[in-house]
Amino acid sequence: MIKFVDVIYGLSWGDEGKGKIANALAEKYDYVCRWNGGPNAGHTVYLNDKKYKTHMIPSGIFKGKKCIIGPGCVVNVKKFFEEIEYLKASGFDTSLVKVSPNAHIITEEHIQFDVNNLKKGLGTTGQGIAPCYADKMLRKGIRAKDLFPSEYLWDGKLEGKVLCEGAQSVWLDIDHGCYPFVTSSTTMPYGACSLGFSPQKIRRLIGVAKIYDTKSGVDPLFPESLWDDETLNKIITIGEEFGSTTGRKRMVNWLNVDKLMESIKISGCTDLVINKCDILQAVGTFKLKFENKLVEFSSLYEMQRFLDDVIRDNTDIVNIQFSGHKENVATPEMAQ
Ligand code: IMP
């Protein structure tokens, strides 16, 4: 029987550092599951000063947890097995990784269509995501059960404490994001129920944001003129804001607090983690956008106090935690 489910997900435009938070919390759970997306995601985790990157396999693998790739995910088989080999060679137990028989397979044709028709205009990652989901909806897709070896196929069971790890984020959601500059899956945490449990099982909704906003790829909220700002460029360099799947330089903007509170509300966030505060500290400029005005603070502490007050006053959030880039900030109240 499932005891409870906690969901970690992005509140912004992806790249919030969800992988790090999931890795810090994974110890306390029996399963770590992905419910959406595919190799468009990139999760970076630091363990004993070593950097690990995964695109498909949940970060629970680093803590020896059962890792599930759910029916709502799309899988590139070649990349999946490359990732398995990379993790095996690094000493992790890859027999814990299982793929839902109903997950859809990304083909070479999907990738070619994406690269030739979508990558430039929409700024996709070129991984074949949209064409694969399109074939799924047309009901002509190929599924994991059609070609995966049986030892990798999931039996559909979940037990005990379950952590679900979102890919991308609220503003990239197919229904809630700035369409068409979105991804093709449900990134909203309710999408986690596609793994096969009732919404009543969800205990906590752990939303992750950064103390500044970033976007990989095209979006009207991130105009080209942002490249001209010297301080924002410093954030890119110090914050290593380069796509972990594409290597592209991300667009950076000051945190839009109104957008953040909107995503907290529509997704039902109970626990908020605001990440990468140490990057702003290193840059030494503390600004955010609130009610369409740019507000500047004299210190990080002052900015954090403002955020804590305004978010608590305007949302139903229960817990707010500020975190840094590389150190693993476990959030003790969250995982018990
Ligand atoms: P697609 O998911 O490759 O179709 O890309 C659609 C949009 O989502 C593009 O703007 C991508 O940059 C963005 N995107 C997809 N995956 C990620 C991610 O993991 N982090 C940040 N942006 C992403």
Side-chain angles (χ1 to χ4, degrees):
M1 213 183 58
I2 295 178
K3 199 165 168 206
F4 60 75
V5 178
D6 289 341
V7 185
I8 295 187
Y9 64 102
L11 286 163
S12 317
W13 290 266
D15 314 315
E16 297 93 349
K18 299 178 282 289
K20 183 187 69 178
I21 310 291
N23 184 53
L25 296 181
E27 202 79 71
K28 312 272 184 179
Y29 297 84
D30 300 299
Y31 283 84
V32 181
C33 312
R34 277 271 300 267
W35 78 83
N36 76 301
N40 48 348
H43 289 173
T44 307
V45 165
Y46 291 88
L47 284 177
N48 307 322
D49 282 337
K50 238 191 123 191
K51 185 174 177 174
Y52 295 96
K53 265 190 192 181
T54 55
H55 296 282
M56 294 257 25
I57 295 172
S59 54
I61 194 68
F62 301 113
K63 294 284 162 75
K65 302 294 168 178
K66 289 176 189 147
C67 290
I68 307 297
I69 295 176
C73 294
V74 290
V75 183
N76 177 321
V77 180
K78 183 164 169 274
K79 290 205 164 159
F80 172 85
F81 283 107
E82 278 169 10
E83 212 165 292
I84 289 279
E85 287 311 316
Y86 158 74
L87 291 167
K88 220 187 252 176
S90 308
F92 300 105
D93 179 3
T94 53
S95 72
L96 296 164
V97 181
K98 305 286 175 204
V99 181
S100 164
N102 291 348
H104 276 251
I105 301 296
I106 301 172
T107 64
E108 198 47 45
E109 289 73 41
H110 292 149
I111 296 170
Q112 286 312 314
F113 187 91
D114 191 1
V115 169
N116 295 331
N117 301 285
L118 309 175
K119 195 172 176 188
K120 195 154 177 274
L122 293 180
T124 70
T125 60
Q127 298 295 317
I129 304 298
C132 183
Y133 279 113
D135 276 352
K136 171 180 175 172
M137 292 305 165
L138 286 168
R139 282 163 265 159
K140 59 175 196 172
I142 303 165
R143 292 186 289 175
K145 68 166 95 172
D146 302 325
L147 45 78
F148 257 80
S150 60
E151 72 261 32
Y152 281 100
L153 290 177
W154 180 39
D155 60 8
K157 289 199 189 107
L158 290 174
E159 267 159 25
K161 301 174 187 173
V162 178
L163 181 66
C164 297
E165 186 181 23
Q168 295 87 42
S169 59
V170 166
W171 299 128
L172 291 173
D173 182 271
I174 185 74
D175 297 310
H176 293 276
C178 181
Y179 188 93
F181 306 104
V182 292
T183 191
S184 303
S185 64
T186 298
T187 64
M188 288 283 277
Y190 55 71
C193 295
S194 64
L195 281 152
F197 54 80
S198 143
Q200 286 175 318
K201 289 285 178 193
I202 297 180
R203 183 184 71 151
R204 285 193 159 120
L205 294 157
I206 305 165
V208 188
K210 281 194 288 212
I211 198 148
Y212 51 86
D213 285 337
T214 64
K215 171 78 173 79
S216 341
V218 184
D219 192 303
L221 273 179
F222 291 79
E224 295 267 316
S225 56
L226 290 170
W227 298 126
D228 304 334
D229 188 297
E230 205 183 312
T231 317
L232 294 177
N233 272 301
K234 256 197 216 165
I235 297 179
I236 297 179
T237 313
I238 299 177
E240 299 171 29
E241 293 299 345
F242 297 89
S244 98
T245 301
T246 56
R248 291 180 298 190
K249 189 158 99 166
R250 296 176 185 142
M251 316 280 300
V252 173
N253 207 346
W254 301 110
L255 177 68
N256 185 331
V257 183
D258 305 302
K259 280 296 263 188
L260 176 59
M261 292 197 298
E262 198 185 329
S263 70
I264 287 172
K265 283 189 244 179
I266 61 171
S267 63
C269 180
T270 60
D271 296 73
L272 167 65
V273 181
I274 300 187
N275 210 353
K276 284 197 150 179
C277 296
D278 52 344
I279 306 300
L280 268 205
Q281 183 74 289
V283 171
T285 306
F286 312 100
K287 292 185 190 172
L288 51 76
K289 274 199 207 142
F290 178 58
E291 294 178 338
N292 290 321
K293 284 192 225 55
L294 201 57
V295 188
E296 183 158 8
F297 301 88
S298 58
S299 68
L300 178 63
Y301 177 69
E302 204 188 304
M303 181 168 168
Q304 288 173 329
R305 275 195 45 189
F306 174 86
L307 280 168
D308 198 89
D309 286 346
V310 82
I311 295 170
R312 282 185 199 279
D313 284 352
N314 291 287
T315 68
D316 296 327
I317 207 95
V318 178
N319 179 35
I320 302 182
Q321 186 119 3
F322 292 95
S323 140
H325 182 27
K326 280 186 188 166
E327 90 271 23
N328 275 340
V329 271
T331 44
E333 318 87 288
M334 290 182 191
Q336 274 156 17

